[in-house]
Amino acid sequence: MTTHAPQAAQAVTLPTTLDEAVAALAAVPAAVPVAGGTDLMAAVNSGQLRPAALVGLGRISEIRGWQYQDGHALLGAGLTHARMGRPDFAALIPALAAAARAAGPPQIRNAGTLGGNIASAAPTGDALPVLAALEATLIIAGADGARREMPVSHLLAGMELLRAGELIGYVRVPLLHAPQVFLKATGRTGPGRAMASVALVLDPARRGVRCAVGAIAPMPLRPLEAEQWVASLIDWDNGRAIVPEALSAFGEYVAAACIPDAAPAEDGSVPQLPPAVLHLRRTVAALARRALGRALS
């Protein structure tokens, strides 16, 4: 813990396998799992959380790497941002590597993990729009060695939740072998919390474009109609060419889908969006336009 914590946890368990960790959580229902602790310790130090016990996940080697599985990458939930930011991982999933490198200062990247980013589900989590755009799937570990799958978008949207005693074990991501881009805008220079972010991936096999916008809502937003529209304009057989005007139109399409105009008033007039909201909308449009341009180039 830290000297700033008003109360320390009464017990700390350090399992070495995923099943041992699940068993430890089942034995002490009030226990809280902790990996990097970047979000947990902030909650403890601010007085928002008083864990009765901790289950440390740092010694579970099986979730700290990745493996290949049927055209997918099976990523361990214990992968740190620093590890995902390295060149070998970037060659595998470029957008997720870019998000990991933008996750914050070195101390955060060295401690924070992929699973923690998903479980905390903070709107500004940099990995979340990338996983949404990639349509990643979670492998959930349960009691007695049970495993079940869940689309990451379902967890982030609250459509499905982790059950008592369950842990995120792995994240399965399709290997598209095509350009991927992650961009974010912050309120200050250097790594920081995103004001808005955009993840964009191309899927040449399906002639599709997948885009997710992060940080502007409680969960990443997918502008599905904008994706389908711009995919129909790309010349997939001729170097993925597209007319320049379509890039700007795509940015505006994405921004309008994620930050729509205000509802009409009773007299039929449409109220003007507040300046801060208009600025955010222009930011999303610029990010989406640039992301598509970089992916196609």
Side-chain angles (χ1 to χ4, degrees), residues 64-92:
R64 299 185 69 84
W66 69 83
Q67 55 186 293
Y68 303 101
Q69 183 185 77
D70 301 326
H72 292 70
L74 195 63
L75 311 179
L79 275 169
T80 64
H81 299 304
R83 184 64 190 88
M84 291 188 291
R86 295 181 186 175
D88 58 340
F89 190 92
L92 192 70

Side-chain angles (χ1 to χ4, degrees), residues 142-169:
D144 301 320
R147 301 290 186 269
R148 69 184 180 98
E149 299 187 14
M150 176 198 309
V152 67
S153 58
H154 284 199
L155 178 65
L156 299 179
M159 297 170 60
E160 294 185 64
L161 300 176
L162 293 178
R163 300 165 187 162
E166 287 187 327
L167 283 171
I168 299 173

Side-chain angles (χ1 to χ4, degrees), residues 2-90:
T2 76
T3 57
H4 300 290
Q7 296 179 356
Q10 296 179 354
V12 178
T13 305
L14 299 174
T16 58
T17 69
L18 199 54
D19 289 333
E20 287 179 3
V22 171
L25 289 173
V28 184
V32 176
V34 55
T38 54
D39 291 317
L40 174 68
M41 291 314 305
V44 169
N45 289 337
S46 65
Q48 298 176 358
L49 183 65
R50 296 288 185 272
L54 295 176
V55 177
L57 309 179
R59 295 185 179 180
I60 305 177
S61 59
E62 63 188 283
I63 61 171
R64 299 185 69 84
W66 69 83
Q67 55 186 293
Y68 303 101
Q69 183 185 77
D70 301 326
H72 292 70
L74 195 63
L75 311 179
L79 275 169
T80 64
H81 299 304
R83 184 64 190 88
M84 291 188 291
R86 295 181 186 175
D88 58 340
F89 190 92

Side-chain angles (χ1 to χ4, degrees), residues 200 209-211 222-233 246 249-258 288 292:
L200 187 140
V209 174
R210 299 209 291 269
C211 176
R222 286 280 303 277
L224 299 177
E225 291 185 359
E227 293 176 2
Q228 297 168 3
W229 173 79
V230 79
S232 68
L233 299 180
F250 174 70
E252 297 297 334
Y253 203 160
V254 170
C258 296
L292 180 60

Side-chain angles (χ1 to χ4, degrees), residues 181-253:
V181 177
F182 171 80
L183 298 174
K184 80 173 184 177
T186 63
R188 57 184 178 83
T189 58
R193 290 189 179 274
M195 177 178 68
S197 61
V198 168
L200 187 140
V201 300
L202 300 183
D203 188 350
R206 299 180 180 180
R207 300 197 171 198
V209 174
R210 299 209 291 269
C211 176
V213 179
I216 67 170
M219 62 181 182
L221 303 177
R222 286 280 303 277
L224 299 177
E225 291 185 359
E227 293 176 2
Q228 297 168 3
W229 173 79
V230 79
S232 68
L233 299 180
I234 297 173
D235 188 347
W236 296 95
D237 297 320
N238 187 26
R240 302 177 192 140
I242 191 171
V243 295
E245 294 79 8
L247 294 177
S248 296
F250 174 70
E252 297 297 334
Y253 203 160

